[in-house]
Amino acid sequence: MSAPLPALHVLFVCTGNTCRSPLAAIALRAELGDDAAQVEVSSAGTATSPGQPASEGSLRVAAADGFDLSAHRSRVVTVELVRAADYVFVMSAAHRAAVERLGGPEQKVHVVSEWPQPGEPELPVFDPFGASFEAYEECWRRLRRHARRIASPVRQALRERRIS
């Protein structure tokens, strides 16, 4: 007997898919807890070379909290990934524009710091690539905070999907 298909698909998008989006994906999986098995959470980048590992800083901040990103490999965001997703969370307005150019409908593409409304737009998630370890730690703190906020409406959508 095969495992049930995920009821929801969540896609996180950043630039290189080696820092923010893979960290956001593990943060949301952790926040979803038992519900994570029913949600496919993945990540991609708008300007990446496919197959790159997570950055050293991302590996370190994730490991410090007990998460393993060693199997992560970057991939480019595609029309197919966007179409398959129920929610697409991006790190900036530029990422939103890139996803919308791929046909991502406005109602399912959200800047991670701004959703659900009113969000916390005063806590944007800056790209730590090439910066200090402290920059990675701050990025991780913000992503964990945003994932806690996002998890509740994702769980609600999951419950609604199960009912219908």
Side-chain angles (χ1 to χ4, degrees):
M1 182 168 172
S2 63
L5 293 174
L8 282 176
H9 297 261
V10 175
L11 176 66
F12 286 96
V13 177
C14 68
T15 304
N17 192 218
T18 60
C19 302
R20 293 173 289 177
S21 57
L23 285 170
I26 61 171
L28 181 60
R29 278 190 212 104
E31 289 301 321
L32 290 173
D34 292 340
D35 290 323
Q38 294 297 307
V39 182
E40 180 182 316
V41 182
S42 62
S43 65
T46 59
T48 189
S49 297
Q52 298 301 307
S55 67
E56 183 62 33
S58 294
L59 290 166
R60 285 179 57 201
V61 295
D65 272 352
F67 299 102
D68 182 8
L69 275 177
S70 63
H72 173 77
R73 293 298 176 263
S74 63
R75 64 183 178 164
V76 175
V77 65
T78 64
V79 171
E80 294 78 21
L81 288 172
V82 171
R83 283 186 185 150
D86 296 292
Y87 295 98
V88 180
F89 294 108
V90 298
M91 303 298 147
S92 70
H95 297 129
R96 179 199 307 250
V99 169
E100 288 176 353
R101 280 193 300 275
L102 290 173
E106 186 178 313
Q107 66 271 18
K108 81 171 174 180
V109 182
H110 311 283
V111 175
V112 72
S113 62
E114 298 173 3
W115 193 86
Q117 292 292 332
E120 294 182 288
E122 70 281 4
L123 292 175
V125 183
F126 296 107
D127 191 353
F129 189 77
S132 67
F133 184 67
E134 291 75 21
Y136 278 92
E137 290 176 316
E138 180 60 22
C139 175
W140 179 234
R141 275 191 295 276
R142 289 182 184 204
L143 287 169
R144 292 296 305 260
R145 183 176 176 132
H146 295 319
R148 279 190 294 277
R149 204 181 60 259
I150 289 168
S152 180
V154 168
R155 272 195 198 96
Q156 180 61 35
L158 184 60
R159 280 191 293 278
E160 290 170 4
R161 179 102 14 124
R162 286 179 187 150
I163 292 169
S164 60

